[in-house]
């Protein structure tokens, strides 16, 4: 990591706040050891007990990427019965689609695919491009999670199994983007720059995301990959040898849009190279050395003709010219705080919640002693 993260801080020894975060907080929840094995067994027993007599005991999002594909295979090995959900935002690579087919067929999963209305998705993505903010993946990410949680509630499923993990993504600068689940932010940008009503686009309200789902419906997100030794290289090898799965070339590059956004838009417009965060995560996880990561960063983000092909593809999908796309990318970037958002409300809510927890703990402690 470097100062392209405008909020990075280094101590007198040159150690940055990201490494300190991993050492002081992340490792409390990350157990690729014997403790993790026992916690994983407990997790599996808990989900199985909950699912007794039900068609599904959990729900899992499936993108065709490494993490979700590997996890889908493992949960079946553990005897769980998840409903697999794929949200098609219109940007799937052919490899991603093929990978999903291979996994669900060979593993034996029921798959539900939610296809986002392309006219609405296109309009929202164009609105975000016209806003010039860094968080261009928000429309796609919001749709993914909103639809996944809606399917969980619709099917009465409490447990959501996630492929997110600290081994490959413990470091990600907050200054490089913004929360994609902030529906106020999504709607504000669309209201300013969009033109097509979002009648069917999957949106999750502030109340549902922060209160109804987690506190009333008791929806619980489980991250099993944090309770086992997880290596991206091993996962790729495992999937290719056993399931005919094929790698697509970069983290989250199963989406053509995400590849363009991370490999070109962010670096060109803001100077953010997300590989730095992804590689830094692998370094702190002990999966590669810093020198190896630096050598990896020396490789070009795009191969010969790939950028031109992606520009042409993205422009055609969005129904604009390549010249118009270039102009949107070349315009000065803007910060998410220039548009309405719910960050202050979320922070205030969690501060109040923490005060209540501290007060309750104090009362119990006084009664006990």
């Amino acid at each position: 990591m470097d100062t392209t993260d405008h909020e990075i801080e280094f101590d007198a020894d040159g150690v940055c706040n990201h490494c300190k975060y991993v050492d002081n907080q992340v490792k409390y929840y990350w157990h690729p050891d014997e403790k993790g094995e026992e916690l994983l067994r407990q997790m599996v027993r808990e989900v199985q007990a909950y699912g007794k007599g039900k068609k599904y005991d959990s729900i899992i999002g499936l993108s065709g990427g490494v993490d979700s594909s590997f996890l889908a295979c493992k949960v079946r090995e553990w005897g769980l019965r998840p409903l697999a959900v794929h949200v098609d935002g219109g940007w799937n690579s052919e490899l991603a689609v093929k990978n999903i087919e291979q996994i669900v067929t060979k593993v034996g999963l029921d798959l539900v695919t939610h296809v986002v209305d392309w006219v609405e998705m296109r309009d929202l993505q164009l609105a975000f491009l016209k806003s010039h903010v860094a968080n261009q993946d928000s429309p796609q990410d919001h749709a993914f999670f909103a639809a996944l949680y809606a399917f969980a509630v619709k099917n009465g499923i409490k447990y959501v199994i996630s492929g997110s993990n600290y081994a490959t993504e413990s470091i990600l600068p907050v200054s490089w983007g913004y929360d994609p689940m902030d529906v106020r932010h999504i709607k504000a940008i669309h209201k300013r720059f969009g033109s097509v009503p979002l009648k069917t686009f999957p949106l999750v309200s502030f109340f549902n995301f922060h209160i109804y789902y987690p506190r009333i419906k008791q929806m619980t997100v489980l991250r099993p990959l944090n309770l086992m030794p997880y290596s991206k290289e091993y996962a790729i090898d495992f999937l290719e040898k056993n399931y005919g799965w094929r790698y697509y070339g970069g983290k989250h590059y199963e989406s053509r849009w995400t590849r363009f956004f991370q490999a070109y838009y962010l670096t060109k417009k803001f100077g953010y190279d997300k590989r730095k965060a992804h590689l830094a995560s692998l370094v702190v996880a002990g999966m590669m050395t810093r020198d190896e990561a630096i050598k990896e960063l020396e490789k070009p983000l795009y191969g010969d003709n790939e950028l031109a092909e992606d520009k042409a593809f993205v422009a055609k999908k969005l129904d604009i010219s390549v010249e118009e796309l270039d102009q949107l990318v070349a315009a000065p970037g803007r910060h998410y705080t220039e548009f309405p958002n719910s960050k202050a409300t979320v922070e205030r809510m969690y501060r109040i919640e923490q005060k209540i927890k501290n007060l309750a703990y104090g009362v119990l402690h006084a009664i006990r002693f």
Side-chain angles (χ1 to χ4, degrees), residues 287-303:
M287 295 182 187
M288 72 184 332
T289 67
R290 188 173 185 277
D291 287 341
E292 289 171 338
I294 290 173
K295 287 181 180 179
E296 192 68 24
L297 285 172
E298 293 173 355
K299 298 178 181 179
L301 281 158
Y302 270 105

Side-chain angles (χ1 to χ4, degrees), residues 175-275:
S175 68
W176 283 3
Y178 181 59
D179 180 10
M181 300 314 295
D182 187 341
V183 72
R184 185 185 179 201
H185 184 65
I186 298 278
K187 288 182 175 180
I189 288 178
H190 181 258
K191 182 178 181 180
R192 177 87 175 269
F193 301 105
S195 59
V196 176
L198 302 181
K199 294 181 178 180
T200 65
F201 190 90
L203 293 169
V204 57
S205 69
F206 179 95
F207 175 78
N208 281 350
F209 186 69
H210 292 284
I211 299 172
Y212 181 67
Y213 289 168
R215 292 167 173 80
I216 298 175
K217 297 298 290 185
Q218 296 295 301
M219 187 179 293
T220 304
V221 179
L222 304 176
R223 298 177 174 84
L225 296 182
N226 289 333
L227 304 178
M228 57 190 294
Y230 180 61
S231 161
K232 182 178 178 180
E233 289 185 1
Y234 170 79
I236 292 173
D237 184 64
F238 172 85
L239 291 167
E240 289 180 340
K241 286 182 177 178
N242 297 290
Y243 295 94
W245 184 96
R246 292 175 59 198
Y247 187 46
Y248 39 82
K251 190 168 180 62
H252 301 312
Y253 283 10
E254 62 269 29
S255 162
R256 291 289 296 271
W257 168 261
T258 302
R259 181 170 72 174
F260 173 81
F261 158 62
Q262 290 190 3
Y264 182 68
Y265 178 92
L266 278 182
T267 57
K268 179 75 172 179
K269 197 179 190 78
F270 292 93
Y272 304 157
D273 186 344
K274 272 204 166 183
R275 294 180 304 172

Side-chain angles (χ1 to χ4, degrees), residues 342-357:
S342 298
K343 184 179 181 180
T345 304
V346 172
E347 290 177 345
R348 184 165 56 250
M349 181 183 71
Y350 282 109
R351 282 198 302 270
I352 293 172
E353 184 178 56
Q354 190 59 50
K355 287 181 180 179
I356 293 172
K357 287 181 179 179

Side-chain angles (χ1 to χ4, degrees), residues 64-281:
V66 180
D67 301 336
S68 65
S69 297
F70 179 78
L71 186 56
C73 299
K74 300 305 289 186
V75 294
R76 291 299 285 152
E77 286 183 17
W78 301 333
L80 298 183
R81 296 174 288 105
L83 169 66
V85 175
H86 173 65
V87 181
D88 182 356
W91 294 102
N92 284 348
S93 66
E94 292 181 10
L95 267 182
V97 174
K98 184 64 176 178
N99 285 341
I100 292 170
E101 292 175 353
Q102 292 285 90
I103 295 297
V104 297
T105 300
K106 294 190 176 183
V107 171
L109 288 173
D110 287 345
L111 174 69
V112 174
T113 298
H114 178 93
V115 180
V116 181
D117 182 273
W118 175 244
V119 175
E120 295 181 18
M121 173 62 88
R122 171 188 169 276
D123 189 68
L124 183 56
Q125 297 226 238
L126 274 173
F128 263 74
L129 277 173
K130 292 173 183 177
S131 74
H132 304 297
V133 294
N135 46 306
Q136 292 293 315
D137 243 0
S138 288
Q140 187 173 241
D141 287 347
H142 190 97
F144 289 169
F145 290 108
L148 180 65
Y149 295 151
F151 270 105
V153 171
K154 180 180 179 181
N155 288 275
I157 299 172
K158 173 181 177 180
Y159 291 107
V160 178
I161 299 178
S162 170
S164 65
N165 64 91
Y166 291 127
T168 65
E169 51 195 20
S170 60
I171 292 176
L172 184 60
V174 174
S175 68
W176 283 3
Y178 181 59
D179 180 10
M181 300 314 295
D182 187 341
V183 72
R184 185 185 179 201
H185 184 65
I186 298 278
K187 288 182 175 180
I189 288 178
H190 181 258
K191 182 178 181 180
R192 177 87 175 269
F193 301 105
S195 59
V196 176
L198 302 181
K199 294 181 178 180
T200 65
F201 190 90
L203 293 169
V204 57
S205 69
F206 179 95
F207 175 78
N208 281 350
F209 186 69
H210 292 284
I211 299 172
Y212 181 67
Y213 289 168
R215 292 167 173 80
I216 298 175
K217 297 298 290 185
Q218 296 295 301
M219 187 179 293
T220 304
V221 179
L222 304 176
R223 298 177 174 84
L225 296 182
N226 289 333
L227 304 178
M228 57 190 294
Y230 180 61
S231 161
K232 182 178 178 180
E233 289 185 1
Y234 170 79
I236 292 173
D237 184 64
F238 172 85
L239 291 167
E240 289 180 340
K241 286 182 177 178
N242 297 290
Y243 295 94
W245 184 96
R246 292 175 59 198
Y247 187 46
Y248 39 82
K251 190 168 180 62
H252 301 312
Y253 283 10
E254 62 269 29
S255 162
R256 291 289 296 271
W257 168 261
T258 302
R259 181 170 72 174
F260 173 81
F261 158 62
Q262 290 190 3
Y264 182 68
Y265 178 92
L266 278 182
T267 57
K268 179 75 172 179
K269 197 179 190 78
F270 292 93
Y272 304 157
D273 186 344
K274 272 204 166 183
R275 294 180 304 172
K276 293 176 182 177
H278 299 154
L279 292 168
S281 296

